[in-house]
Amino acid sequence: MKNKEFNLPPVPAVLLAIISVQCGAAIAKTIFPSLGAAGTASIRIGISALILFAAYRPNLFKITRQQWKIVIPYGLNLGAMNLIFYLAIERIPIGLSVTLEFIGPLLLAIVGSKRLLDYCWVVLAAIGILLIAPWTNSRIDTLGVLFALLAGGLWASYIVLGGKVSKIMNSGEAVSVGMLFASLLILPFGFYENGLVNLTPKLFGLSIALALLSSAIPFTLEMKALGQLPPRTFSILMSLEPAAAAICGFIFLQERLNFYEIIAVACVVIASAGSTLMAKR
């Protein structure tokens, strides 16, 4: 019975993980008025850390000095990335935030390339950014755009650090310990914002759902899919995330994108999928 429970094919698993993350972001945004962006990030990361610690039970005393040197920056980067992203979606629509955030991994994927085609993907993504820029629509918050771009830079460094930590630690142990340090980084911001004093049983229940949707469920699905899919196929599927974010923002938050913003999302999705598809092995 246990084997049948987890027999979801890898492609649907990735798509479900993407939907789970974006639904989690939508739930987070509904909590912002009560807890604030920092407070919501704090409670979500804190609960996620507890869930992952209970699931993987890492032995902190057996972690070597070399592992600590990588897993601590990995966790701090993870925490900063989540906090900055929440500050971004507090100010601009989720679809635009994820679109701008995707620029970080896209640039990382093609850095150092000397092929003309790769520069074309960068140009296409740049067109998307220009279409989202505040001068095209006065309702777009400039600080929100900057936060989303910063989150993208942190995402790129998270990928680099994640690659390093995965070589020296078990994935479950690494992410659970990393989430511990992410919590230590974010919690002071949550208390400073005073959002956590407004926590009610109902909001706590929503926070548990948020932690499951944004961390536990997608992490489990992605780990399963990565074991069965080629990395290139996985990356192409993940390129759909900005589009999924825009759709979830529209369905759950009534965040309507104008024509130029929809084109911007399409530009970044195509650039991300194209750069992955055409990348050298």
Side-chain angles (χ1 to χ4, degrees), residues 110-119 280:
I110 60 181
V111 68
S113 174
K114 297 180 179 179
R115 296 192 305 166
L116 179 61
L117 181 60
D118 287 333
Y119 291 106
K280 294 181 179 179

Side-chain angles (χ1 to χ4, degrees), residues 80-81 84-85 100-101 144-157:
M81 179 180 68
I84 297 298
F85 177 71
L100 290 167
E101 189 187 28
V145 169
L146 293 176
F147 277 141
L149 291 172
L150 178 56
L154 289 168
W155 192 359
S157 62

Side-chain angles (χ1 to χ4, degrees), residues 26-105:
I27 289 176
K29 199 158 183 175
T30 65
I31 301 175
F32 287 173
S34 300
L35 302 184
T40 304
S42 298
I43 195 71
R44 176 217 148 180
I45 293 296
I47 293 174
S48 297
L50 291 175
I51 292 172
L52 290 168
F53 247 80
Y56 294 104
R57 300 177 184 176
N59 189 333
L60 301 180
F61 297 102
K62 288 188 177 181
I63 298 177
T64 66
R65 186 175 181 179
Q66 180 190 8
Q67 291 172 329
W68 280 122
K69 285 182 178 180
I70 300 296
V71 77
I72 291 177
Y74 163 79
L76 295 176
N77 191 102
L78 176 63
M81 179 180 68
N82 280 276
L83 175 60
I84 297 298
F85 177 71
Y86 274 22
L87 291 174
I89 66 173
E90 185 180 34
R91 291 165 173 80
I92 62 176
I94 291 174
L96 300 189
S97 297
V98 175
T99 299
L100 290 167
E101 189 187 28
F102 242 74
I103 302 302

Side-chain angles (χ1 to χ4, degrees), residues 1 18 25 58 83 87 90 95 121-123 127 153 157 187 193 212 227 247 250 261 265 273 279:
M1 183 69 180
I18 291 172
L83 175 60
L87 291 174
E90 185 180 34
W121 301 126
V122 174
V123 170
I127 291 172
S157 62
L187 278 172
E193 197 177 52
L212 290 170
I247 293 170
F250 174 73
E261 292 163 354
V265 172

Side-chain angles (χ1 to χ4, degrees), residues 19 27 54 56 69 74 92 104 108 123 135 164 177 197-198 204 222 231-232 235 242 249 255 269 271 278-279:
I19 294 170
I27 289 176
Y56 294 104
K69 285 182 178 180
Y74 163 79
I92 62 176
L108 178 65
V123 170
W135 56 72
K164 290 181 179 180
V177 175
V197 300
N198 298 322
F204 186 72
E222 287 172 7
R232 181 175 298 192
S235 298
E255 293 181 340
V269 169
M278 300 299 176

